[in-house]
Amino acid sequence: MMNQYETVFILTPVLSEQQMKETVEKFKGILAEQGAEIVGEENWGMKKMAYAIDKKSTGFYQVIQFNAEPTVVDKLETGYRRDERVIRFLTVKLDKYAAAYAEKRRAKNANKED
């Protein structure tokens, strides 16, 4: 059974733009390998964090929404833990209300880009 998930991860601020994009593609590749369907993604850019993590006060925030089997989340989070460029991550299963909100947010962001 496919569930809808949203994962947010923070990358270390010392990465170049190219390194950041390569890291995001790596995690999208992990999802694709496991048969997940990527529904949407958002790059929130460099943000100041509420508190310092590993003596860093900023980080690159990335959000990916995807549909997948529950076992895919374990493989994705193992990838996060093994990559030293990831400071923090959080993956949540979306209920129908959160999924509807995420869809509305994606549509709103798509209109801004046009």
Side-chain angles (χ1 to χ4, degrees), residues 32-62:
E33 283 173 16
Q34 300 299 320
E37 172 198 353
I38 296 177
V39 179
E41 72 173 289
E42 299 172 41
N43 179 358
W44 290 352
M46 178 84 78
K47 298 270 187 194
K48 183 165 174 34
M49 295 187 280
Y51 56 90
I53 301 171
D54 295 334
K55 298 182 182 173
K56 295 174 180 72
S57 60
T58 60
F60 290 107
Y61 282 66
Q62 187 75 28

PDB file of all heavy atoms in Angstrom, residues 32-62:
ATOM      1  N   ALA A  32      13.800   6.967  -6.093  1.00  0.00           N
ATOM      2  CA  ALA A  32      13.458   6.372  -7.388  1.00  0.00           C
ATOM      3  C   ALA A  32      13.848   4.896  -7.437  1.00  0.00           C
ATOM      4  O   ALA A  32      13.094   4.063  -7.951  1.00  0.00           O
ATOM      5  CB  ALA A  32      14.136   7.146  -8.502  1.00  0.00           C
ATOM      6  N   GLU A  33      15.015   4.562  -6.895  1.00  0.00           N
ATOM      7  CA  GLU A  33      15.476   3.161  -6.860  1.00  0.00           C
ATOM      8  C   GLU A  33      14.498   2.276  -6.103  1.00  0.00           C
ATOM      9  O   GLU A  33      14.310   1.108  -6.454  1.00  0.00           O
ATOM     10  CB  GLU A  33      16.831   3.053  -6.150  1.00  0.00           C
ATOM     11  CG  GLU A  33      18.020   3.466  -6.941  1.00  0.00           C
ATOM     12  CD  GLU A  33      19.290   3.481  -6.084  1.00  0.00           C
ATOM     13  OE1 GLU A  33      19.284   2.884  -4.977  1.00  0.00           O
ATOM     14  OE2 GLU A  33      20.267   4.090  -6.525  1.00  0.00           O
ATOM     15  N   GLN A  34      13.910   2.813  -5.071  1.00  0.00           N
ATOM     16  CA  GLN A  34      12.997   2.035  -4.219  1.00  0.00           C
ATOM     17  C   GLN A  34      11.566   2.023  -4.752  1.00  0.00           C
ATOM     18  O   GLN A  34      10.672   1.481  -4.112  1.00  0.00           O
ATOM     19  CB  GLN A  34      13.013   2.585  -2.781  1.00  0.00           C
ATOM     20  CG  GLN A  34      14.358   2.540  -2.124  1.00  0.00           C
ATOM     21  CD  GLN A  34      14.888   1.119  -2.000  1.00  0.00           C
ATOM     22  OE1 GLN A  34      14.140   0.195  -1.706  1.00  0.00           O
ATOM     23  NE2 GLN A  34      16.173   0.947  -2.239  1.00  0.00           N
ATOM     24  N   GLY A  35      11.341   2.661  -5.892  1.00  0.00           N
ATOM     25  CA  GLY A  35      10.010   2.653  -6.499  1.00  0.00           C
ATOM     26  C   GLY A  35       9.076   3.726  -5.980  1.00  0.00           C
ATOM     27  O   GLY A  35       7.867   3.645  -6.187  1.00  0.00           O
ATOM     28  N   ALA A  36       9.613   4.734  -5.324  1.00  0.00           N
ATOM     29  CA  ALA A  36       8.771   5.831  -4.827  1.00  0.00           C
ATOM     30  C   ALA A  36       8.443   6.783  -5.975  1.00  0.00           C
ATOM     31  O   ALA A  36       9.226   6.960  -6.897  1.00  0.00           O
ATOM     32  CB  ALA A  36       9.494   6.593  -3.718  1.00  0.00           C
ATOM     33  N   GLU A  37       7.284   7.397  -5.882  1.00  0.00           N
ATOM     34  CA  GLU A  37       6.859   8.383  -6.873  1.00  0.00           C
ATOM     35  C   GLU A  37       7.004   9.767  -6.239  1.00  0.00           C
ATOM     36  O   GLU A  37       6.319  10.078  -5.261  1.00  0.00           O
ATOM     37  CB  GLU A  37       5.405   8.128  -7.276  1.00  0.00           C
ATOM     38  CG  GLU A  37       4.816   9.197  -8.148  1.00  0.00           C
ATOM     39  CD  GLU A  37       3.289   9.160  -8.178  1.00  0.00           C
ATOM     40  OE1 GLU A  37       2.694   8.225  -7.626  1.00  0.00           O
ATOM     41  OE2 GLU A  37       2.717  10.110  -8.742  1.00  0.00           O
ATOM     42  N   ILE A  38       7.901  10.588  -6.783  1.00  0.00           N
ATOM     43  CA  ILE A  38       8.106  11.929  -6.241  1.00  0.00           C
ATOM     44  C   ILE A  38       6.986  12.830  -6.747  1.00  0.00           C
ATOM     45  O   ILE A  38       6.800  12.992  -7.947  1.00  0.00           O
ATOM     46  CB  ILE A  38       9.491  12.478  -6.621  1.00  0.00           C
ATOM     47  CG1 ILE A  38      10.563  11.609  -5.971  1.00  0.00           C
ATOM     48  CG2 ILE A  38       9.626  13.943  -6.201  1.00  0.00           C
ATOM     49  CD1 ILE A  38      11.976  11.983  -6.310  1.00  0.00           C
ATOM     50  N   VAL A  39       6.234  13.382  -5.806  1.00  0.00           N
ATOM     51  CA  VAL A  39       5.074  14.203  -6.135  1.00  0.00           C
ATOM     52  C   VAL A  39       5.469  15.666  -6.285  1.00  0.00           C
ATOM     53  O   VAL A  39       4.978  16.365  -7.162  1.00  0.00           O
ATOM     54  CB  VAL A  39       3.981  14.058  -5.043  1.00  0.00           C
ATOM     55  CG1 VAL A  39       2.787  14.921  -5.355  1.00  0.00           C
ATOM     56  CG2 VAL A  39       3.576  12.609  -4.896  1.00  0.00           C
ATOM     57  N   GLY A  40       6.361  16.141  -5.423  1.00  0.00           N
ATOM     58  CA  GLY A  40       6.779  17.532  -5.487  1.00  0.00           C
ATOM     59  C   GLY A  40       8.029  17.752  -4.666  1.00  0.00           C
ATOM     60  O   GLY A  40       8.370  16.928  -3.811  1.00  0.00           O
ATOM     61  N   GLU A  41       8.699  18.850  -4.956  1.00  0.00           N
ATOM     62  CA  GLU A  41       9.859  19.207  -4.153  1.00  0.00           C
ATOM     63  C   GLU A  41       9.970  20.718  -4.090  1.00  0.00           C
ATOM     64  O   GLU A  41       9.533  21.419  -4.993  1.00  0.00           O
ATOM     65  CB  GLU A  41      11.141  18.587  -4.693  1.00  0.00           C
ATOM     66  CG  GLU A  41      11.652  19.189  -5.970  1.00  0.00           C
ATOM     67  CD  GLU A  41      13.012  18.631  -6.355  1.00  0.00           C
ATOM     68  OE1 GLU A  41      13.995  18.951  -5.674  1.00  0.00           O
ATOM     69  OE2 GLU A  41      13.055  17.895  -7.332  1.00  0.00           O
ATOM     70  N   GLU A  42      10.512  21.179  -2.984  1.00  0.00           N
ATOM     71  CA  GLU A  42      10.693  22.611  -2.768  1.00  0.00           C
ATOM     72  C   GLU A  42      12.082  22.845  -2.199  1.00  0.00           C
ATOM     73  O   GLU A  42      12.522  22.123  -1.311  1.00  0.00           O
ATOM     74  CB  GLU A  42       9.673  23.148  -1.757  1.00  0.00           C
ATOM     75  CG  GLU A  42       8.237  22.991  -2.167  1.00  0.00           C
ATOM     76  CD  GLU A  42       7.286  23.368  -1.040  1.00  0.00           C
ATOM     77  OE1 GLU A  42       7.552  24.364  -0.347  1.00  0.00           O
ATOM     78  OE2 GLU A  42       6.294  22.638  -0.856  1.00  0.00           O
ATOM     79  N   ASN A  43      12.759  23.845  -2.733  1.00  0.00           N
ATOM     80  CA  ASN A  43      14.048  24.254  -2.191  1.00  0.00           C
ATOM     81  C   ASN A  43      13.799  25.549  -1.438  1.00  0.00           C
ATOM     82  O   ASN A  43      13.496  26.575  -2.039  1.00  0.00           O
ATOM     83  CB  ASN A  43      15.053  24.466  -3.324  1.00  0.00           C
ATOM     84  CG  ASN A  43      16.401  24.917  -2.824  1.00  0.00           C
ATOM     85  OD1 ASN A  43      16.606  25.112  -1.634  1.00  0.00           O
ATOM     86  ND2 ASN A  43      17.327  25.093  -3.734  1.00  0.00           N
ATOM     87  N   TRP A  44      13.900  25.501  -0.122  1.00  0.00           N
ATOM     88  CA  TRP A  44      13.650  26.685   0.689  1.00  0.00           C
ATOM     89  C   TRP A  44      14.889  27.559   0.800  1.00  0.00           C
ATOM     90  O   TRP A  44      14.822  28.666   1.343  1.00  0.00           O
ATOM     91  CB  TRP A  44      13.180  26.292   2.083  1.00  0.00           C
ATOM     92  CG  TRP A  44      11.808  25.695   2.118  1.00  0.00           C
ATOM     93  CD1 TRP A  44      10.925  25.613   1.083  1.00  0.00           C
ATOM     94  CD2 TRP A  44      11.165  25.099   3.236  1.00  0.00           C
ATOM     95  NE1 TRP A  44       9.773  24.998   1.495  1.00  0.00           N
ATOM     96  CE2 TRP A  44       9.890  24.670   2.810  1.00  0.00           C
ATOM     97  CE3 TRP A  44      11.538  24.886   4.545  1.00  0.00           C
ATOM     98  CZ2 TRP A  44       8.990  24.038   3.665  1.00  0.00           C
ATOM     99  CZ3 TRP A  44      10.640  24.252   5.388  1.00  0.00           C
ATOM    100  CH2 TRP A  44       9.382  23.846   4.950  1.00  0.00           C
ATOM    101  N   GLY A  45      16.025  27.060   0.333  1.00  0.00           N
ATOM    102  CA  GLY A  45      17.253  27.849   0.347  1.00  0.00           C
ATOM    103  C   GLY A  45      17.904  27.901   1.719  1.00  0.00           C
ATOM    104  O   GLY A  45      17.598  27.122   2.617  1.00  0.00           O
ATOM    105  N   MET A  46      18.820  28.851   1.863  1.00  0.00           N
ATOM    106  CA  MET A  46      19.571  29.023   3.118  1.00  0.00           C
ATOM    107  C   MET A  46      18.687  29.727   4.141  1.00  0.00           C
ATOM    108  O   MET A  46      18.148  30.795   3.873  1.00  0.00           O
ATOM    109  CB  MET A  46      20.819  29.854   2.850  1.00  0.00           C
ATOM    110  CG  MET A  46      21.645  30.137   4.072  1.00  0.00           C
ATOM    111  SD  MET A  46      22.769  28.839   4.511  1.00  0.00           S
ATOM    112  CE  MET A  46      24.058  29.100   3.342  1.00  0.00           C
ATOM    113  N   LYS A  47      18.519  29.087   5.288  1.00  0.00           N
ATOM    114  CA  LYS A  47      17.700  29.647   6.366  1.00  0.00           C
ATOM    115  C   LYS A  47      18.486  29.629   7.663  1.00  0.00           C
ATOM    116  O   LYS A  47      19.340  28.779   7.885  1.00  0.00           O
ATOM    117  CB  LYS A  47      16.434  28.809   6.569  1.00  0.00           C
ATOM    118  CG  LYS A  47      15.512  28.750   5.391  1.00  0.00           C
ATOM    119  CD  LYS A  47      14.541  29.855   5.463  1.00  0.00           C
ATOM    120  CE  LYS A  47      13.503  29.694   4.366  1.00  0.00           C
ATOM    121  NZ  LYS A  47      12.742  30.873   4.181  1.00  0.00           N
ATOM    122  N   LYS A  48      18.155  30.569   8.539  1.00  0.00           N
ATOM    123  CA  LYS A  48      18.741  30.591   9.878  1.00  0.00           C
ATOM    124  C   LYS A  48      17.970  29.597  10.741  1.00  0.00           C
ATOM    125  O   LYS A  48      16.751  29.558  10.719  1.00  0.00           O
ATOM    126  CB  LYS A  48      18.636  31.991  10.459  1.00  0.00           C
ATOM    127  CG  LYS A  48      19.289  32.134  11.814  1.00  0.00           C
ATOM    128  CD  LYS A  48      19.458  33.592  12.161  1.00  0.00           C
ATOM    129  CE  LYS A  48      19.975  33.831  13.555  1.00  0.00           C
ATOM    130  NZ  LYS A  48      20.895  32.891  14.105  1.00  0.00           N
ATOM    131  N   MET A  49      18.709  28.792  11.476  1.00  0.00           N
ATOM    132  CA  MET A  49      18.071  27.792  12.335  1.00  0.00           C
ATOM    133  C   MET A  49      17.776  28.392  13.703  1.00  0.00           C
ATOM    134  O   MET A  49      18.386  29.378  14.105  1.00  0.00           O
ATOM    135  CB  MET A  49      18.985  26.572  12.473  1.00  0.00           C
ATOM    136  CG  MET A  49      19.174  25.847  11.156  1.00  0.00           C
ATOM    137  SD  MET A  49      20.063  24.308  11.297  1.00  0.00           S
ATOM    138  CE  MET A  49      21.747  24.880  11.364  1.00  0.00           C
ATOM    139  N   ALA A  50      16.848  27.786  14.408  1.00  0.00           N
ATOM    140  CA  ALA A  50      16.450  28.276  15.727  1.00  0.00           C
ATOM    141  C   ALA A  50      17.591  28.153  16.734  1.00  0.00           C
ATOM    142  O   ALA A  50      17.706  28.960  17.652  1.00  0.00           O
ATOM    143  CB  ALA A  50      15.224  27.515  16.230  1.00  0.00           C
ATOM    144  N   TYR A  51      18.434  27.124  16.553  1.00  0.00           N
ATOM    145  CA  TYR A  51      19.578  26.941  17.442  1.00  0.00           C
ATOM    146  C   TYR A  51      20.713  26.307  16.640  1.00  0.00           C
ATOM    147  O   TYR A  51      20.481  25.676  15.609  1.00  0.00           O
ATOM    148  CB  TYR A  51      19.214  26.070  18.653  1.00  0.00           C
ATOM    149  CG  TYR A  51      18.658  24.721  18.294  1.00  0.00           C
ATOM    150  CD1 TYR A  51      19.491  23.614  18.129  1.00  0.00           C
ATOM    151  CD2 TYR A  51      17.290  24.543  18.108  1.00  0.00           C
ATOM    152  CE1 TYR A  51      18.981  22.384  17.781  1.00  0.00           C
ATOM    153  CE2 TYR A  51      16.773  23.323  17.762  1.00  0.00           C
ATOM    154  CZ  TYR A  51      17.626  22.238  17.606  1.00  0.00           C
ATOM    155  OH  TYR A  51      17.112  21.014  17.253  1.00  0.00           O
ATOM    156  N   ALA A  52      21.924  26.490  17.099  1.00  0.00           N
ATOM    157  CA  ALA A  52      23.091  25.978  16.382  1.00  0.00           C
ATOM    158  C   ALA A  52      23.158  24.460  16.475  1.00  0.00           C
ATOM    159  O   ALA A  52      22.898  23.872  17.526  1.00  0.00           O
ATOM    160  CB  ALA A  52      24.362  26.590  16.941  1.00  0.00           C
ATOM    161  N   ILE A  53      23.509  23.833  15.359  1.00  0.00           N
ATOM    162  CA  ILE A  53      23.722  22.390  15.298  1.00  0.00           C
ATOM    163  C   ILE A  53      25.137  22.199  14.758  1.00  0.00           C
ATOM    164  O   ILE A  53      25.461  22.708  13.687  1.00  0.00           O
ATOM    165  CB  ILE A  53      22.708  21.708  14.365  1.00  0.00           C
ATOM    166  CG1 ILE A  53      21.281  21.968  14.835  1.00  0.00           C
ATOM    167  CG2 ILE A  53      22.989  20.205  14.276  1.00  0.00           C
ATOM    168  CD1 ILE A  53      20.216  21.523  13.871  1.00  0.00           C
ATOM    169  N   ASP A  54      25.972  21.500  15.498  1.00  0.00           N
ATOM    170  CA  ASP A  54      27.383  21.315  15.117  1.00  0.00           C
ATOM    171  C   ASP A  54      28.064  22.664  14.838  1.00  0.00           C
ATOM    172  O   ASP A  54      28.810  22.814  13.875  1.00  0.00           O
ATOM    173  CB  ASP A  54      27.502  20.419  13.882  1.00  0.00           C
ATOM    174  CG  ASP A  54      27.024  19.013  14.142  1.00  0.00           C
ATOM    175  OD1 ASP A  54      27.070  18.581  15.319  1.00  0.00           O
ATOM    176  OD2 ASP A  54      26.602  18.343  13.181  1.00  0.00           O
ATOM    177  N   LYS A  55      27.767  23.650  15.659  1.00  0.00           N
ATOM    178  CA  LYS A  55      28.320  25.003  15.575  1.00  0.00           C
ATOM    179  C   LYS A  55      27.946  25.722  14.273  1.00  0.00           C
ATOM    180  O   LYS A  55      28.623  26.645  13.851  1.00  0.00           O
ATOM    181  CB  LYS A  55      29.840  24.969  15.740  1.00  0.00           C
ATOM    182  CG  LYS A  55      30.256  24.439  17.105  1.00  0.00           C
ATOM    183  CD  LYS A  55      31.744  24.456  17.269  1.00  0.00           C
ATOM    184  CE  LYS A  55      32.116  23.866  18.618  1.00  0.00           C
ATOM    185  NZ  LYS A  55      33.529  23.707  18.782  1.00  0.00           N
ATOM    186  N   LYS A  56      26.865  25.305  13.638  1.00  0.00           N
ATOM    187  CA  LYS A  56      26.359  25.965  12.420  1.00  0.00           C
ATOM    188  C   LYS A  56      24.992  26.554  12.739  1.00  0.00           C
ATOM    189  O   LYS A  56      24.138  25.879  13.301  1.00  0.00           O
ATOM    190  CB  LYS A  56      26.274  24.957  11.278  1.00  0.00           C
ATOM    191  CG  LYS A  56      27.622  24.423  10.855  1.00  0.00           C
ATOM    192  CD  LYS A  56      27.471  23.328   9.823  1.00  0.00           C
ATOM    193  CE  LYS A  56      28.808  22.797   9.392  1.00  0.00           C
ATOM    194  NZ  LYS A  56      29.473  21.993  10.406  1.00  0.00           N
ATOM    195  N   SER A  57      24.796  27.819  12.360  1.00  0.00           N
ATOM    196  CA  SER A  57      23.529  28.469  12.674  1.00  0.00           C
ATOM    197  C   SER A  57      22.616  28.603  11.453  1.00  0.00           C
ATOM    198  O   SER A  57      21.492  29.073  11.571  1.00  0.00           O
ATOM    199  CB  SER A  57      23.782  29.848  13.280  1.00  0.00           C
ATOM    200  OG  SER A  57      24.488  30.648  12.361  1.00  0.00           O
ATOM    201  N   THR A  58      23.099  28.211  10.259  1.00  0.00           N
ATOM    202  CA  THR A  58      22.279  28.249   9.057  1.00  0.00           C
ATOM    203  C   THR A  58      22.394  26.908   8.333  1.00  0.00           C
ATOM    204  O   THR A  58      23.284  26.108   8.633  1.00  0.00           O
ATOM    205  CB  THR A  58      22.728  29.368   8.089  1.00  0.00           C
ATOM    206  OG1 THR A  58      24.089  29.131   7.718  1.00  0.00           O
ATOM    207  CG2 THR A  58      22.591  30.736   8.705  1.00  0.00           C
ATOM    208  N   GLY A  59      21.502  26.696   7.362  1.00  0.00           N
ATOM    209  CA  GLY A  59      21.547  25.466   6.577  1.00  0.00           C
ATOM    210  C   GLY A  59      20.642  25.575   5.367  1.00  0.00           C
ATOM    211  O   GLY A  59      19.756  26.418   5.300  1.00  0.00           O
ATOM    212  N   PHE A  60      20.883  24.722   4.381  1.00  0.00           N
ATOM    213  CA  PHE A  60      20.042  24.654   3.185  1.00  0.00           C
ATOM    214  C   PHE A  60      18.882  23.709   3.468  1.00  0.00           C
ATOM    215  O   PHE A  60      19.096  22.536   3.769  1.00  0.00           O
ATOM    216  CB  PHE A  60      20.831  24.109   1.981  1.00  0.00           C
ATOM    217  CG  PHE A  60      21.878  25.039   1.461  1.00  0.00           C
ATOM    218  CD1 PHE A  60      23.216  24.774   1.679  1.00  0.00           C
ATOM    219  CD2 PHE A  60      21.533  26.166   0.735  1.00  0.00           C
ATOM    220  CE1 PHE A  60      24.196  25.621   1.188  1.00  0.00           C
ATOM    221  CE2 PHE A  60      22.500  27.016   0.245  1.00  0.00           C
ATOM    222  CZ  PHE A  60      23.835  26.747   0.475  1.00  0.00           C
ATOM    223  N   TYR A  61      17.663  24.224   3.364  1.00  0.00           N
ATOM    224  CA  TYR A  61      16.473  23.416   3.627  1.00  0.00           C
ATOM    225  C   TYR A  61      15.911  22.888   2.311  1.00  0.00           C
ATOM    226  O   TYR A  61      15.801  23.637   1.336  1.00  0.00           O
ATOM    227  CB  TYR A  61      15.391  24.259   4.305  1.00  0.00           C
ATOM    228  CG  TYR A  61      15.622  24.499   5.773  1.00  0.00           C
ATOM    229  CD1 TYR A  61      16.692  25.266   6.220  1.00  0.00           C
ATOM    230  CD2 TYR A  61      14.764  23.983   6.716  1.00  0.00           C
ATOM    231  CE1 TYR A  61      16.901  25.503   7.571  1.00  0.00           C
ATOM    232  CE2 TYR A  61      14.957  24.211   8.077  1.00  0.00           C
ATOM    233  CZ  TYR A  61      16.026  24.971   8.484  1.00  0.00           C
ATOM    234  OH  TYR A  61      16.232  25.198   9.819  1.00  0.00           O
ATOM    235  N   GLN A  62      15.523  21.613   2.299  1.00  0.00           N
ATOM    236  CA  GLN A  62      14.941  20.980   1.118  1.00  0.00           C
ATOM    237  C   GLN A  62      13.747  20.138   1.553  1.00  0.00           C
ATOM    238  O   GLN A  62      13.819  19.442   2.573  1.00  0.00           O
ATOM    239  CB  GLN A  62      15.982  20.097   0.443  1.00  0.00           C
ATOM    240  CG  GLN A  62      15.565  19.516  -0.875  1.00  0.00           C
ATOM    241  CD  GLN A  62      15.573  20.536  -2.001  1.00  0.00           C
ATOM    242  OE1 GLN A  62      16.336  21.499  -1.964  1.00  0.00           O
ATOM    243  NE2 GLN A  62      14.737  20.346  -2.981  1.00  0.00           N
TER     244      GLN A  62
END
